[in-house]
Amino acid sequence: MKARILNQGGGAANMNQLIRQAQKLQAETEALKADLDAREYDVAAGGGMVKLKINGKKEVLSLEISPEIVDPDDVETLSDVILAAVNQAVRLVEDTNEKELSKVAGGLSVPGMF
């Protein structure tokens, strides 16, 4: 049994419309990425003893350490709390970016688009 492809006309018009939609999606995605990169996130760890500000590019902008957590005999705890804050901040940026970009894509997955 042979499959027949019916020419229903408008093939070029449909292709042009698809290209325009892809270009619009790409422009929206680029604008959203710029917005996401510019966002800043505040994260606290260790009961608020360590506060960190990070941007959407995952660059640490500031780090505040409460004097109460600084114990020269226990530098390891301070290191652990700082690592926790950094990791939490990076996860927050990644989760936010993924969620926002998936809204634009509407579930569409085009390799290399994002």
Side-chain angles (χ1 to χ4, degrees):
M1 181 155 138
K2 294 181 180 179
R4 285 196 270 178
I5 299 174
L6 299 176
N7 184 357
Q8 298 178 0
N14 288 340
M15 182 58 76
N16 287 336
Q17 181 181 10
L18 184 60
I19 290 170
R20 281 192 302 276
Q21 287 175 341
Q23 289 170 336
K24 180 183 175 194
L25 177 61
Q26 184 175 13
E28 289 175 1
T29 301
E30 288 172 5
L32 179 57
K33 282 183 177 182
D35 174 58
L36 291 170
D37 284 349
R39 290 185 188 183
E40 293 182 359
Y41 303 86
D42 293 306
V43 174
M49 302 293 259
V50 172
K51 296 178 183 175
L52 180 120
K53 183 177 290 243
I54 190 170
N55 66 17
K57 295 178 185 178
K58 301 177 196 166
E59 299 168 334
V60 176
L61 303 174
S62 67
L63 176 65
E64 294 178 33
I65 301 171
S66 178
E68 294 87 36
I69 198 169
V70 179
D71 179 357
D73 296 326
D74 189 13
V75 176
E76 186 176 338
T77 296
L78 179 58
S79 295
D80 290 344
V81 174
I82 292 171
L83 284 174
V86 170
N87 289 331
Q88 181 181 345
V90 169
R91 278 192 303 274
L92 177 62
V93 170
E94 289 176 347
D95 291 347
T96 301
N97 289 354
E98 183 179 326
K99 189 184 326 176
E100 294 294 325
L101 287 168
S102 71
K103 288 179 187 177
V104 171
L108 179 66
S109 178
V110 178
M113 178 74 87
F114 306 115

